[in-house]
Amino acid sequence: MYKAPRGTHDIYGQMALGLEKLDEISRKVFKRHNFKEVKTPIFEEAALFTRSIGEATDIVEKEMYLFEDRKGRKLALRPEGTASLVRAYIEHRFDMEDPVNKYFYCGDMFRYERPQAGRYRQFTQMGAEYFNNPNPTADAEIILLAADILSQLNIKEITIHLNSLGCSNCRPIFRQKLVEYFSSINDLCEDCKRRLEKNPLRLLDCKIDSSKFTNVPSMRQCLCDDCKNHFEQVQALLKGAGCNYVVDDKLVRGLDYYTRTVFEIRSSAVGSQDAICAGGRYDNLVKELGGQNIASVGFALGSERVLLAAEKTGFFDSIKKDNVIFIAVADEELVIPAFTFANNLITNKDNIIEKLNLPKDIIVEGPFLNKSLKSQFKLADKIGASKTIIFGKTEYDQGKILIKDMSTQEQVLINLH
Ligand code: HAM
């Protein structure tokens, strides 16, 4: 028997409804902040990711799904959305087309990670990228936008971790301090030893060695005046908006394109994979990938992790019950008019939904053949129908049908035409 590949899931039932609802809520929030949707392909040239995410990152070193197509092109399933959005931004000259460059995306990402609760090989991200705005207001807007989505989902137990990684002027100083610091520590794990020269910042969130690191140099001590100012203004804007956060010197992120602000939103309601959303500023990436000098900032939230957190606050209970209308026939002779009636309801022919005073978003089920009226009622109950419309011979001959309210059991006779 075949099974879904390790780290992937079939999405159905409650989870499918949850993802739909999350999508609906996030879209509303994105649009209110004037972000427009962009859909990019799920695979790209592999080099796009290697170049943007960084060669010495976990994603590029060991997590990409790489393949060659029939013409030998080296492709990769996207492990994240930012690189693709930047590629699309440059390719279509959004900077020339749009006066404001704010975009959002929603889609599946692929990483060959060790699966566990909240960590999958195929997962969904909803993300936003704000291009062409170097000002701290853009960083603050991005963080508030992410927080806004989480608050609309009633996810309250979150902590926003904030840090600045500086720029190409001040980061090398920090980097040098880190190399000196880590070189003085014995018995680093193999990954840390390997990364020490190539990517010393990554050592800061090593899960194996972190307990050995005390009094680590912090980026904050090394920030140049411009970066320091920028970071202070981001914080002042967040404070002004009443947004709580903690400054976290150890936050370095797993992708190399960041400059200045980085952040991660963690939820205490999920297990060890507690980062439900993350992002930051990437002022050099557009240029590095062949575009103009365009400073940008963005984030992505992991939909599955967000739903794990939302589950704890009753999100799934709040998903409105569907308005299912069940069409029952008491006499098989009436199947044709009942079937026609069901189809008229589905297509809302002649505004029948409004005329019968039914809810706008109805779902129609039935009629069924070869079932007693009793078993039709049972089925209506099982699928949670709010109303059952009954075609009975006597009533139908008088041009009428019965509408039964399934919660009160009350029945009303109405004219069919
Ligand atoms: P990231 O931190 O790699 O950042 O991923 C963002 C979020 O995606 C994580 O916080 C987590 O919720 C979710 N996520 C990541 N990996 C997995 C996984 N294996 N299974 C389930 N969920 C996962 C980025 O991807 C950046 N592109 C964010 C960004 C946008 N920065 C600037 N703009």
Side-chain angles (χ1 to χ4, degrees):
M1 200 172 65
Y2 294 112
K3 286 190 168 173
R6 188 164 143 76
T8 70
H9 296 275
D10 298 310
I11 295 166
Y12 57 93
Q14 279 288 83
M15 190 64 182
L17 288 176
L19 279 174
E20 185 189 335
K21 191 81 191 159
L22 169 62
D23 193 81
E24 188 189 311
I25 292 173
S26 316
R27 272 169 199 280
K28 265 194 202 143
V29 180
F30 284 134
K31 287 186 180 164
R32 221 168 36 211
H33 286 256
N34 198 25
F35 280 71
K36 287 168 280 191
E37 185 168 16
V38 176
K39 284 182 192 284
T40 62
I42 63 160
F43 61 87
E44 300 267 1
E45 262 183 70
L48 172 71
F49 300 117
T50 316
R51 182 92 190 266
S52 51
I53 297 168
E55 283 190 37
T57 57
D58 282 349
I59 297 181
V60 169
E61 278 183 347
K62 43 192 180 193
E63 294 171 3
M64 284 219 285
Y65 279 89
L66 296 163
F67 63 101
E68 278 187 14
D69 71 5
R70 286 165 191 270
K71 287 266 165 67
R73 295 180 191 95
K74 291 186 171 23
L75 301 169
L77 293 184
R78 61 181 179 195
E80 59 114 42
T82 310
S84 303
L85 254 274
V86 172
R87 197 259 314 129
Y89 182 84
I90 299 169
E91 189 174 335
H92 308 295
R93 292 305 310 258
F94 288 165
D95 56 327
M96 305 286 278
E97 294 221 330
D98 255 349
V100 180
N101 296 165
K102 293 164 150 185
Y103 308 99
F104 77 88
Y105 53 93
C106 168
D108 289 348
M109 308 294 158
F110 305 84
R111 295 184 193 176
Y112 191 83
E113 290 195 82
R114 200 167 48 78
Q116 65 181 82
R119 190 162 70 193
Y120 315 108
R121 290 184 174 169
Q122 178 176 349
F123 58 97
T124 312
Q125 279 187 348
M126 312 214 52
E129 310 295 347
Y130 190 162
F131 294 95
N132 217 354
N133 189 343
N135 301 309
T137 44
D139 310 45
E141 181 170 354
I142 277 290
I143 296 170
L144 292 171
L145 166 55
D148 191 4
I149 293 178
L150 298 175
S151 120
Q152 299 292 326
L153 293 163
N154 216 13
I155 300 177
K156 295 208 177 75
E157 281 155 26
I158 55 164
T159 315
I160 302 178
H161 292 248
L162 192 67
N163 197 11
S164 173
L165 295 181
C167 65
S168 50
N169 290 329
C170 52
R171 181 134 20 120
I173 303 168
F174 177 51
R175 199 187 140 102
Q176 187 49 37
K177 282 197 175 183
L178 282 181
V179 172
E180 282 161 22
Y181 171 83
F182 289 126
S183 305
S184 69
I185 294 176
N186 296 324
D187 59 299
L188 289 173
C189 76
E190 287 308 311
D191 262 355
C192 282
K193 276 187 201 151
R194 200 166 41 81
R195 293 242 170 98
L196 186 54
E197 283 307 317
K198 270 191 176 170
N199 200 352
L201 266 72
R202 298 292 312 136
L203 273 70
L204 285 174
D205 64 3
C206 171
K207 302 279 177 292
I208 303 169
D209 287 340
S210 60
S211 59
K212 295 176 199 153
F213 304 155
T214 47
N215 296 323
V216 193
S218 87
M219 182 67 226
R220 249 192 304 170
Q221 298 156 348
C222 309
L223 291 177
C224 63
D225 285 348
D226 283 350
C227 287
K228 204 167 153 194
N229 256 337
H230 187 98
F231 195 40
E232 277 166 7
Q233 286 187 54
V234 172
Q235 293 183 64
L237 287 160
L238 291 178
K239 275 188 197 138
C243 172
N244 294 323
Y245 60 87
V246 290
V247 173
D248 180 349
D249 287 328
K250 282 198 163 178
L251 182 66
V252 285
R253 308 279 298 119
L255 307 101
D256 280 356
Y257 48 63
Y258 293 110
T259 50
R260 295 192 165 168
T261 314
V262 286
F263 70 97
E264 217 164 81
I265 305 183
R266 299 185 191 150
S267 158
S268 56
V270 295
S272 60
Q273 299 305 309
D274 59 354
I276 56 175
C277 173
R281 180 165 275 290
Y282 48 95
D283 288 346
N284 306 327
L285 186 57
V286 178
K287 190 155 190 218
E288 264 165 36
L289 294 180
Q292 307 292 307
N293 195 10
I294 281 175
S296 310
V297 54
F299 78 84
L301 56 81
S303 303
E304 292 82 359
R305 288 189 198 173
V306 166
L307 285 184
L308 279 176
E311 197 179 4
K312 303 276 177 353
T313 55
F315 171 72
F316 285 97
D317 309 333
S318 74
I319 296 177
K320 207 166 76 289
K321 290 269 175 297
D322 293 324
N323 288 309
V324 180
I325 308 290
F326 189 89
I327 313 293
V329 276
D331 190 315
E332 293 222 340
E333 264 178 45
L334 300 178
V335 156
I336 292 175
F339 189 86
T340 308
F341 180 80
N343 195 49
N344 290 347
L345 272 185
I346 290 170
T347 55
N348 196 19
K349 193 171 178 211
D350 303 328
N351 290 326
I352 186 172
I353 293 178
E354 290 77 11
K355 280 184 195 153
L356 294 182
N357 222 359
L358 295 170
K360 263 201 189 105
D361 51 351
I362 54 166
I363 294 172
V364 181
E365 186 54 272
F368 285 84
L369 270 176
N370 301 324
K371 268 189 197 301
S372 68
L373 197 55
K374 198 173 156 200
S375 56
Q376 291 180 64
F377 283 148
K378 263 195 190 156
L379 184 58
D381 256 342
K382 267 195 191 156
I383 62 173
S386 58
K387 288 189 166 58
T388 297
I389 297 185
I390 308 153
F391 279 71
K393 181 95 174 84
T394 325
E395 294 84 3
Y396 186 75
D397 287 346
Q398 295 165 7
K400 293 179 195 297
I401 48 174
L402 269 172
I403 301 188
K404 179 177 175 184
D405 186 307
M406 299 300 279
S407 50
T408 61
Q409 304 296 315
E410 208 181 298
Q411 306 200 79
V412 280
L413 205 53
I414 58 151
N415 289 324
L416 190 52
H417 301 289

